[in-house]
PDB file of all heavy atoms in Angstrom:
ATOM      1  N   LEU A  25      -2.120  -1.028   9.364  1.00  0.00           N
ATOM      2  CA  LEU A  25      -3.209  -0.270   8.699  1.00  0.00           C
ATOM      3  C   LEU A  25      -4.351  -0.040   9.595  1.00  0.00           C
ATOM      4  O   LEU A  25      -4.621  -0.792  10.515  1.00  0.00           O
ATOM      5  CB  LEU A  25      -3.591  -1.085   7.451  1.00  0.00           C
ATOM      6  CG  LEU A  25      -2.601  -1.347   6.441  1.00  0.00           C
ATOM      7  CD1 LEU A  25      -3.257  -2.266   5.237  1.00  0.00           C
ATOM      8  CD2 LEU A  25      -1.999  -0.085   5.816  1.00  0.00           C
ATOM      9  N   VAL A  28     -10.266   0.840   8.025  1.00  0.00           N
ATOM     10  CA  VAL A  28     -10.826   0.967   6.631  1.00  0.00           C
ATOM     11  C   VAL A  28      -9.911   0.174   5.657  1.00  0.00           C
ATOM     12  O   VAL A  28     -10.390  -0.614   4.854  1.00  0.00           O
ATOM     13  CB  VAL A  28     -10.866   2.478   6.263  1.00  0.00           C
ATOM     14  CG1 VAL A  28     -11.345   2.561   4.801  1.00  0.00           C
ATOM     15  CG2 VAL A  28     -11.908   3.120   7.159  1.00  0.00           C
ATOM     16  N   CYS A  29      -8.654   0.322   5.744  1.00  0.00           N
ATOM     17  CA  CYS A  29      -7.702  -0.306   4.838  1.00  0.00           C
ATOM     18  C   CYS A  29      -7.633  -1.806   5.172  1.00  0.00           C
ATOM     19  O   CYS A  29      -7.565  -2.585   4.205  1.00  0.00           O
ATOM     20  CB  CYS A  29      -6.285   0.282   4.960  1.00  0.00           C
ATOM     21  SG  CYS A  29      -6.206   1.990   4.275  1.00  0.00           S
ATOM     22  N   ARG A  30      -7.764  -2.228   6.444  1.00  0.00           N
ATOM     23  CA  ARG A  30      -7.650  -3.682   6.736  1.00  0.00           C
ATOM     24  C   ARG A  30      -8.854  -4.365   6.118  1.00  0.00           C
ATOM     25  O   ARG A  30      -8.730  -5.553   5.777  1.00  0.00           O
ATOM     26  CB  ARG A  30      -7.562  -3.880   8.202  1.00  0.00           C
ATOM     27  CG  ARG A  30      -6.168  -3.727   8.744  1.00  0.00           C
ATOM     28  CD  ARG A  30      -5.995  -4.301  10.131  1.00  0.00           C
ATOM     29  NE  ARG A  30      -6.991  -4.017  11.079  1.00  0.00           N
ATOM     30  CZ  ARG A  30      -6.944  -2.993  11.880  1.00  0.00           C
ATOM     31  NH1 ARG A  30      -5.894  -2.131  11.910  1.00  0.00           N
ATOM     32  NH2 ARG A  30      -7.877  -2.714  12.724  1.00  0.00           N
ATOM     33  N   SER A  31      -9.950  -3.670   6.005  1.00  0.00           N
ATOM     34  CA  SER A  31     -11.165  -4.369   5.472  1.00  0.00           C
ATOM     35  C   SER A  31     -11.254  -4.123   3.921  1.00  0.00           C
ATOM     36  O   SER A  31     -12.229  -4.577   3.320  1.00  0.00           O
ATOM     37  CB  SER A  31     -12.403  -3.898   6.156  1.00  0.00           C
ATOM     38  OG  SER A  31     -12.654  -2.525   5.941  1.00  0.00           O
ATOM     39  N   CYS A  32     -10.384  -3.438   3.349  1.00  0.00           N
ATOM     40  CA  CYS A  32     -10.451  -3.110   1.842  1.00  0.00           C
ATOM     41  C   CYS A  32      -9.940  -4.291   1.107  1.00  0.00           C
ATOM     42  O   CYS A  32      -8.897  -4.955   1.390  1.00  0.00           O
ATOM     43  CB  CYS A  32      -9.548  -1.896   1.542  1.00  0.00           C
ATOM     44  SG  CYS A  32      -9.407  -1.467  -0.184  1.00  0.00           S
ATOM     45  N   VAL A  33     -10.720  -4.558  -0.002  1.00  0.00           N
ATOM     46  CA  VAL A  33     -10.259  -5.794  -0.885  1.00  0.00           C
ATOM     47  C   VAL A  33      -9.059  -5.403  -1.610  1.00  0.00           C
ATOM     48  O   VAL A  33      -8.422  -6.487  -2.109  1.00  0.00           O
ATOM     49  CB  VAL A  33     -11.410  -6.079  -1.955  1.00  0.00           C
ATOM     50  CG1 VAL A  33     -12.731  -6.547  -1.221  1.00  0.00           C
ATOM     51  CG2 VAL A  33     -11.746  -4.838  -2.848  1.00  0.00           C
ATOM     52  N   ARG A  34      -8.567  -4.297  -1.647  1.00  0.00           N
ATOM     53  CA  ARG A  34      -7.302  -3.970  -2.378  1.00  0.00           C
ATOM     54  C   ARG A  34      -6.103  -3.825  -1.474  1.00  0.00           C
ATOM     55  O   ARG A  34      -5.033  -3.582  -1.921  1.00  0.00           O
ATOM     56  CB  ARG A  34      -7.475  -2.633  -3.124  1.00  0.00           C
ATOM     57  CG  ARG A  34      -8.699  -2.642  -4.108  1.00  0.00           C
ATOM     58  CD  ARG A  34      -8.804  -1.207  -4.706  1.00  0.00           C
ATOM     59  NE  ARG A  34     -10.014  -1.180  -5.597  1.00  0.00           N
ATOM     60  CZ  ARG A  34     -11.211  -0.902  -5.199  1.00  0.00           C
ATOM     61  NH1 ARG A  34     -11.425  -0.545  -3.912  1.00  0.00           N
ATOM     62  NH2 ARG A  34     -12.150  -0.908  -6.039  1.00  0.00           N
ATOM     63  N   SER A  35      -6.331  -4.051  -0.146  1.00  0.00           N
ATOM     64  CA  SER A  35      -5.298  -3.771   0.850  1.00  0.00           C
ATOM     65  C   SER A  35      -4.025  -4.562   0.639  1.00  0.00           C
ATOM     66  O   SER A  35      -2.833  -4.043   0.895  1.00  0.00           O
ATOM     67  CB  SER A  35      -5.829  -3.900   2.251  1.00  0.00           C
ATOM     68  OG  SER A  35      -6.223  -5.232   2.483  1.00  0.00           O
ATOM     69  N   ARG A  36      -4.089  -5.812   0.147  1.00  0.00           N
ATOM     70  CA  ARG A  36      -2.904  -6.612  -0.038  1.00  0.00           C
ATOM     71  C   ARG A  36      -2.050  -6.169  -1.136  1.00  0.00           C
ATOM     72  O   ARG A  36      -0.852  -6.452  -1.234  1.00  0.00           O
ATOM     73  CB  ARG A  36      -3.284  -8.081  -0.223  1.00  0.00           C
ATOM     74  CG  ARG A  36      -3.979  -8.723   0.991  1.00  0.00           C
ATOM     75  CD  ARG A  36      -2.990  -8.984   2.098  1.00  0.00           C
ATOM     76  NE  ARG A  36      -3.657  -9.540   3.278  1.00  0.00           N
ATOM     77  CZ  ARG A  36      -3.156  -9.813   4.421  1.00  0.00           C
ATOM     78  NH1 ARG A  36      -1.809  -9.528   4.613  1.00  0.00           N
ATOM     79  NH2 ARG A  36      -3.814 -10.274   5.403  1.00  0.00           N
ATOM     80  N   VAL A  37      -2.648  -5.390  -2.044  1.00  0.00           N
ATOM     81  CA  VAL A  37      -1.834  -4.828  -3.135  1.00  0.00           C
ATOM     82  C   VAL A  37      -1.529  -3.314  -2.834  1.00  0.00           C
ATOM     83  O   VAL A  37      -0.286  -2.962  -2.950  1.00  0.00           O
ATOM     84  CB  VAL A  37      -2.648  -4.883  -4.394  1.00  0.00           C
ATOM     85  CG1 VAL A  37      -1.854  -4.204  -5.592  1.00  0.00           C
ATOM     86  CG2 VAL A  37      -2.970  -6.335  -4.823  1.00  0.00           C
ATOM     87  N   CYS A  38      -2.475  -2.659  -2.465  1.00  0.00           N
ATOM     88  CA  CYS A  38      -2.259  -1.204  -2.171  1.00  0.00           C
ATOM     89  C   CYS A  38      -1.460  -0.934  -0.923  1.00  0.00           C
ATOM     90  O   CYS A  38      -0.548  -0.079  -0.954  1.00  0.00           O
ATOM     91  CB  CYS A  38      -3.649  -0.509  -2.002  1.00  0.00           C
ATOM     92  SG  CYS A  38      -3.532   1.152  -1.464  1.00  0.00           S
ATOM     93  N   GLY A  39      -1.745  -1.727   0.137  1.00  0.00           N
ATOM     94  CA  GLY A  39      -0.912  -1.546   1.363  1.00  0.00           C
ATOM     95  C   GLY A  39      -1.248  -0.210   2.090  1.00  0.00           C
ATOM     96  O   GLY A  39      -0.499   0.194   2.972  1.00  0.00           O
ATOM     97  N   GLY A  40      -2.361   0.351   1.788  1.00  0.00           N
ATOM     98  CA  GLY A  40      -2.658   1.662   2.406  1.00  0.00           C
ATOM     99  C   GLY A  40      -1.962   2.896   1.790  1.00  0.00           C
ATOM    100  O   GLY A  40      -2.096   3.971   2.333  1.00  0.00           O
ATOM    101  N   GLY A  41      -1.188   2.632   0.796  1.00  0.00           N
ATOM    102  CA  GLY A  41      -0.431   3.741   0.159  1.00  0.00           C
ATOM    103  C   GLY A  41       0.780   4.127   0.993  1.00  0.00           C
ATOM    104  O   GLY A  41       1.124   3.476   1.921  1.00  0.00           O
ATOM    105  N   ARG A  46      -1.158   8.706   4.958  1.00  0.00           N
ATOM    106  CA  ARG A  46      -2.192   8.178   5.814  1.00  0.00           C
ATOM    107  C   ARG A  46      -2.372   9.066   7.090  1.00  0.00           C
ATOM    108  O   ARG A  46      -3.181   8.680   7.973  1.00  0.00           O
ATOM    109  CB  ARG A  46      -1.872   6.742   6.374  1.00  0.00           C
ATOM    110  CG  ARG A  46      -1.971   5.691   5.211  1.00  0.00           C
ATOM    111  CD  ARG A  46      -1.635   4.376   5.702  1.00  0.00           C
ATOM    112  NE  ARG A  46      -0.548   3.772   5.129  1.00  0.00           N
ATOM    113  CZ  ARG A  46       0.308   2.864   5.681  1.00  0.00           C
ATOM    114  NH1 ARG A  46       0.040   2.541   6.917  1.00  0.00           N
ATOM    115  NH2 ARG A  46       1.271   2.394   4.973  1.00  0.00           N
ATOM    116  N   ALA A  57      -5.328   6.353   8.910  1.00  0.00           N
ATOM    117  CA  ALA A  57      -6.458   6.657   7.852  1.00  0.00           C
ATOM    118  C   ALA A  57      -6.082   6.156   6.544  1.00  0.00           C
ATOM    119  O   ALA A  57      -4.889   5.896   6.279  1.00  0.00           O
ATOM    120  CB  ALA A  57      -6.591   8.229   7.823  1.00  0.00           C
ATOM    121  N   PRO A  58      -7.055   5.890   5.697  1.00  0.00           N
ATOM    122  CA  PRO A  58      -6.759   5.556   4.328  1.00  0.00           C
ATOM    123  C   PRO A  58      -5.948   6.607   3.591  1.00  0.00           C
ATOM    124  O   PRO A  58      -6.028   7.782   4.057  1.00  0.00           O
ATOM    125  CB  PRO A  58      -8.122   5.354   3.610  1.00  0.00           C
ATOM    126  CG  PRO A  58      -9.059   5.172   4.708  1.00  0.00           C
ATOM    127  CD  PRO A  58      -8.531   5.946   5.920  1.00  0.00           C
ATOM    128  N   SER A  59      -5.180   6.303   2.698  1.00  0.00           N
ATOM    129  CA  SER A  59      -4.362   7.263   1.969  1.00  0.00           C
ATOM    130  C   SER A  59      -5.222   8.439   1.415  1.00  0.00           C
ATOM    131  O   SER A  59      -6.345   8.222   1.031  1.00  0.00           O
ATOM    132  CB  SER A  59      -3.673   6.629   0.741  1.00  0.00           C
ATOM    133  OG  SER A  59      -3.043   7.574  -0.085  1.00  0.00           O
ATOM    134  N   VAL A  60      -4.605   9.645   1.358  1.00  0.00           N
ATOM    135  CA  VAL A  60      -5.368  10.765   0.806  1.00  0.00           C
ATOM    136  C   VAL A  60      -5.600  10.452  -0.765  1.00  0.00           C
ATOM    137  O   VAL A  60      -6.438  11.101  -1.345  1.00  0.00           O
ATOM    138  CB  VAL A  60      -4.649  12.065   1.022  1.00  0.00           C
ATOM    139  CG1 VAL A  60      -4.615  12.514   2.472  1.00  0.00           C
ATOM    140  CG2 VAL A  60      -3.268  12.042   0.422  1.00  0.00           C
ATOM    141  N   TYR A  61      -4.803   9.515  -1.221  1.00  0.00           N
ATOM    142  CA  TYR A  61      -5.016   9.108  -2.628  1.00  0.00           C
ATOM    143  C   TYR A  61      -5.721   7.847  -2.885  1.00  0.00           C
ATOM    144  O   TYR A  61      -5.583   7.163  -3.855  1.00  0.00           O
ATOM    145  CB  TYR A  61      -3.568   9.060  -3.279  1.00  0.00           C
ATOM    146  CG  TYR A  61      -2.877  10.376  -3.311  1.00  0.00           C
ATOM    147  CD1 TYR A  61      -1.765  10.474  -2.501  1.00  0.00           C
ATOM    148  CD2 TYR A  61      -3.206  11.452  -4.087  1.00  0.00           C
ATOM    149  CE1 TYR A  61      -0.986  11.701  -2.482  1.00  0.00           C
ATOM    150  CE2 TYR A  61      -2.561  12.622  -4.088  1.00  0.00           C
ATOM    151  CZ  TYR A  61      -1.457  12.753  -3.267  1.00  0.00           C
ATOM    152  OH  TYR A  61      -0.788  13.927  -3.201  1.00  0.00           O
ATOM    153  N   CYS A  62      -6.519   7.506  -1.828  1.00  0.00           N
ATOM    154  CA  CYS A  62      -7.301   6.268  -1.810  1.00  0.00           C
ATOM    155  C   CYS A  62      -8.057   6.028  -3.172  1.00  0.00           C
ATOM    156  O   CYS A  62      -7.961   4.975  -3.714  1.00  0.00           O
ATOM    157  CB  CYS A  62      -8.245   6.205  -0.593  1.00  0.00           C
ATOM    158  SG  CYS A  62      -9.287   4.707  -0.570  1.00  0.00           S
ATOM    159  N   ASP A  63      -8.785   7.046  -3.563  1.00  0.00           N
ATOM    160  CA  ASP A  63      -9.617   6.842  -4.824  1.00  0.00           C
ATOM    161  C   ASP A  63      -8.719   6.580  -6.001  1.00  0.00           C
ATOM    162  O   ASP A  63      -9.015   5.635  -6.770  1.00  0.00           O
ATOM    163  CB  ASP A  63     -10.458   8.063  -5.112  1.00  0.00           C
ATOM    164  CG  ASP A  63     -11.534   8.305  -4.087  1.00  0.00           C
ATOM    165  OD1 ASP A  63     -11.913   7.316  -3.294  1.00  0.00           O
ATOM    166  OD2 ASP A  63     -12.098   9.410  -3.961  1.00  0.00           O
ATOM    167  N   LEU A  65      -5.589   5.294  -5.875  1.00  0.00           N
ATOM    168  CA  LEU A  65      -4.996   3.996  -5.664  1.00  0.00           C
ATOM    169  C   LEU A  65      -6.015   2.895  -6.085  1.00  0.00           C
ATOM    170  O   LEU A  65      -5.574   1.906  -6.664  1.00  0.00           O
ATOM    171  CB  LEU A  65      -4.570   3.849  -4.266  1.00  0.00           C
ATOM    172  CG  LEU A  65      -3.403   4.710  -3.872  1.00  0.00           C
ATOM    173  CD1 LEU A  65      -3.154   4.664  -2.364  1.00  0.00           C
ATOM    174  CD2 LEU A  65      -2.091   4.125  -4.540  1.00  0.00           C
ATOM    175  N   ALA A  66      -7.193   3.020  -5.692  1.00  0.00           N
ATOM    176  CA  ALA A  66      -8.330   2.044  -6.125  1.00  0.00           C
ATOM    177  C   ALA A  66      -8.275   1.807  -7.620  1.00  0.00           C
ATOM    178  O   ALA A  66      -8.408   0.763  -8.101  1.00  0.00           O
ATOM    179  CB  ALA A  66      -9.575   2.413  -5.507  1.00  0.00           C
ATOM    180  N   VAL A  69      -5.049   0.170  -8.865  1.00  0.00           N
ATOM    181  CA  VAL A  69      -4.961  -1.298  -8.490  1.00  0.00           C
ATOM    182  C   VAL A  69      -5.985  -2.104  -9.345  1.00  0.00           C
ATOM    183  O   VAL A  69      -5.558  -3.120  -9.852  1.00  0.00           O
ATOM    184  CB  VAL A  69      -5.281  -1.438  -6.953  1.00  0.00           C
ATOM    185  CG1 VAL A  69      -5.456  -2.887  -6.698  1.00  0.00           C
ATOM    186  CG2 VAL A  69      -4.057  -0.856  -6.166  1.00  0.00           C
TER     187      VAL A  69
HETATM  188  S1  SF4 B 101      -5.805   3.422   0.731  1.00  0.00           S
HETATM  189 FE1  SF4 B 101      -7.818   2.929  -0.101  1.00  0.00          FE
HETATM  190  S2  SF4 B 101      -7.473   1.510  -1.695  1.00  0.00           S
HETATM  191 FE2  SF4 B 101      -5.725   1.490  -0.475  1.00  0.00          FE
HETATM  192  S3  SF4 B 101      -6.055  -0.125   1.086  1.00  0.00           S
HETATM  193 FE3  SF4 B 101      -6.640   1.735   1.893  1.00  0.00          FE
HETATM  194  S4  SF4 B 101      -8.926   1.788   1.550  1.00  0.00           S
HETATM  195 FE4  SF4 B 101      -8.001   0.375   0.189  1.00  0.00          FE
END
Side-chain angles (χ1 to χ4, degrees):
L25 297 177
V28 174
C29 290
R30 281 198 310 270
S31 64
C32 174
V33 296
R34 301 173 184 94
S35 62
R36 295 291 179 182
V37 176
C38 172
R46 288 185 239 150
S59 170
V60 293
Y61 298 110
C62 176
D63 291 344
L65 289 166
V69 168

